[in-house]
Amino acid sequence: MKFLKILLTLNFLFLGFLKLQGQNKKVEIKTEKLTDNIYMITGQGGNIGVFIGEEKLFMIDDQFDHLSEQLKECISKLSNKPLSILFNTHMHGDHTGGNANFNSDKVTLVAHDNVRKRVKTNNLEKLREKKIDTNYFTRMLPEITFSNDITFYDGDETIMAFHVHNAHTDGDAIVYFMNNNVLHMGDTYFSKRYPFIDLKSGGSVDGYIDAHKKVLLLINDETKIIPGHGKSSDKKELQEYVLMLEDLKANTLKAIAEGKSLEEVQNSKTISSKYDATHGNGFINPEKLRTTFYTSLK
Ligand SMILES: [Zn+2]
C-alpha cells in the first residue's frame, strides 16, 4: 500500500513536471500563405486565420494565453497593419485563450452570442479564485455578438460569418472570405482526423453533418479551407469527410436499432473500422468517436 502511494505521488509529480514543461517549451509557430492576403497560422491549439485588409488586420481565433507574444511576433512579420477585428469561431480555450492579450482599445472582439455566454461562465471561477483579474476577464469576452450571421467589409473583400446550429458546440461560426475564396471552419472541421463533437456544450452529430452540407453549397473546387485542426484542406476532402461522417452515423443508427447498448457500441470495432487507421490516431480515438456518435444519436 505504501509502495503504491509512493508510486502515485511520483506519478503525480511527473505529470506536474510534464505540464510545466509543456507550458514553458517554445512552441513552433508556422505560417502558410493561402492567398496574397490570407494566412493560416499553426502552433498549439486551433488553427488561426489572418486576413490582411487595406488598412487593418482581421484575425480568426487566438490559441492559448501563453502563446500570444509569439503569435504577435509572427503576425508582425506578415504585416505592420494593426489588428482591428478578432473573431472567435467558438468558445473552447484552444481558440480563445489569447483573447485578453489581443483585445485592446483598438481591437473589437466578435463572436456568436453563446461564445460570450460560455466564455463568461467558464471563467467566472478563475475570477473568483483571483487567478485572473476583472480587467483580464472583461477583455476575454466578445464585445459584439450575433445570433445568425454578420458581415464585414474591407476594400474589395466581403467577409461573411454565419452560425451553424449545434455542430461542434452551440456557438460555432464559419467565416467565408468571398473574394479570396477562403473559408475558416473552426472546429466544425477536423481535417483528416475524427472530429471532437462537444455534446456537453451543445454539439451534435446531426448538426455537425448539416454544417458540412451548408458549407458544400457555398464553396467551389478552388476554395481553400482552414479547418479548426489539421492541415489546410479543400472541397474534395470535405466531401469525402462528410461521406465518412454519414457512413459512421448509419452504422451507429443500425447498432442502436438492433438494441445495442452504449458499452456494446463502444466495443463494436466494425462501426468505424473502415476509417480508424486514417482518422483515429488523434485526440479522438475510435472508441471515443463511437461513444460520441452513440450518445448523440440515441
Ligand atoms: Zn473546439
Side-chain angles (χ1 to χ4, degrees):
M1 199 55 198
K2 203 173 176 189
F3 179 65
L4 183 72
K5 223 174 173 180
I6 292 171
L7 257 185
L8 281 174
T9 313
L10 277 177
N11 199 6
F12 185 73
L13 283 174
F14 182 63
L15 282 176
F17 170 72
L18 276 184
K19 208 179 158 198
L20 263 181
Q21 233 196 3
Q23 278 167 1
N24 295 336
K25 208 178 100 190
K26 203 163 182 192
V27 172
E28 199 191 347
I29 308 284
K30 286 184 189 164
T31 49
E32 182 184 343
K33 190 173 183 169
L34 298 180
T35 66
D36 279 347
N37 45 12
I38 296 186
Y39 293 84
M40 168 169 142
I41 302 178
T42 51
Q44 195 181 48
N47 294 332
I48 291 172
V50 174
F51 166 68
I52 299 165
E54 287 203 329
E55 282 160 20
K56 290 161 185 165
L57 303 184
F58 183 104
M59 177 174 169
I60 304 168
D61 289 349
D62 49 44
Q63 301 189 345
F64 295 105
D65 167 89
H66 68 273
L67 292 175
S68 300
E69 287 317 307
Q70 256 184 283
L71 287 168
K72 282 180 186 174
E73 198 188 313
C74 164
I75 294 166
S76 71
K77 283 176 194 154
L78 303 177
S79 167
N80 54 17
K81 291 171 189 172
L83 178 62
S84 167
I85 303 281
L86 174 58
F87 190 94
N88 289 154
T89 58
H90 65 291
M91 57 83 187
H92 283 145
D94 59 328
H95 296 255
T96 59
N99 275 6
N101 301 331
F102 278 95
N103 192 5
S104 68
D105 291 348
K106 293 182 179 87
V107 176
T108 307
L109 188 47
V110 185
H112 182 263
D113 299 337
N114 292 338
V115 175
R116 183 179 161 98
K117 280 183 201 153
R118 288 194 183 273
V119 171
K120 200 172 179 180
T121 5
N122 292 351
N123 288 285
L124 270 176
E125 206 177 308
K126 276 190 198 160
L127 181 68
R128 263 187 235 116
E129 289 171 359
K130 298 202 162 66
K131 283 179 184 159
I132 50 174
D133 62 26
T134 317
N135 187 289
Y136 186 96
F137 178 71
T138 311
R139 278 182 292 132
M140 291 174 91
L141 306 176
E143 300 153 279
I144 294 181
T145 66
F146 58 93
S147 51
N148 288 310
D149 49 59
I150 187 166
T151 309
F152 306 87
Y153 301 91
D154 188 306
D156 295 342
E157 189 52 283
T158 299
I159 309 162
M160 283 168 47
F162 55 95
H163 174 53
V164 283
H165 298 274
N166 303 95
H168 171 68
T169 63
D170 62 5
D172 301 302
I174 293 174
V175 187
Y176 186 45
F177 296 87
M178 289 176 76
N179 201 28
N180 275 275
N181 199 8
V182 173
L183 188 78
H184 193 311
M185 288 182 68
D187 282 359
T188 67
Y189 185 30
F190 281 66
S191 163
K192 302 273 165 98
R193 53 183 98 166
Y194 282 149
F196 167 47
I197 300 175
D198 188 351
L199 303 182
K200 288 193 181 115
S201 307
S204 74
V205 167
D206 283 332
Y208 209 89
I209 293 173
D210 284 348
H212 286 209
K213 289 188 168 167
K214 198 170 178 179
V215 159
L216 287 170
L217 291 173
L218 182 74
I219 62 175
N220 58 35
D221 293 343
E222 276 76 51
T223 308
K224 293 190 167 125
I225 303 177
I226 303 176
H229 297 266
K231 290 191 175 128
S232 57
S233 184
D234 57 21
K235 187 179 184 183
K236 192 172 162 278
E237 286 182 357
L238 189 69
Q239 273 168 332
E240 285 164 12
Y241 194 88
V242 73
L243 286 177
M244 171 186 83
L245 294 179
E246 287 191 310
D247 194 24
L248 290 166
K249 179 185 162 181
N251 293 347
T252 311
L253 285 176
K254 193 168 159 266
I256 292 170
E258 285 163 1
K260 290 208 169 113
S261 67
L262 171 63
E263 208 187 349
E264 282 170 317
V265 167
Q266 280 169 335
N267 296 323
S268 171
K269 292 193 174 135
T270 51
I271 288 176
S272 60
S273 57
K274 210 168 141 188
Y275 313 101
D276 288 348
T278 49
H279 291 75
N281 304 307
F283 166 55
I284 299 298
N285 62 31
E287 197 187 312
K288 271 193 199 163
L289 178 96
R290 294 194 293 269
T291 307
T292 302
F293 269 60
Y294 178 91
T295 315
S296 180
L297 295 166
K298 177 90 167 102

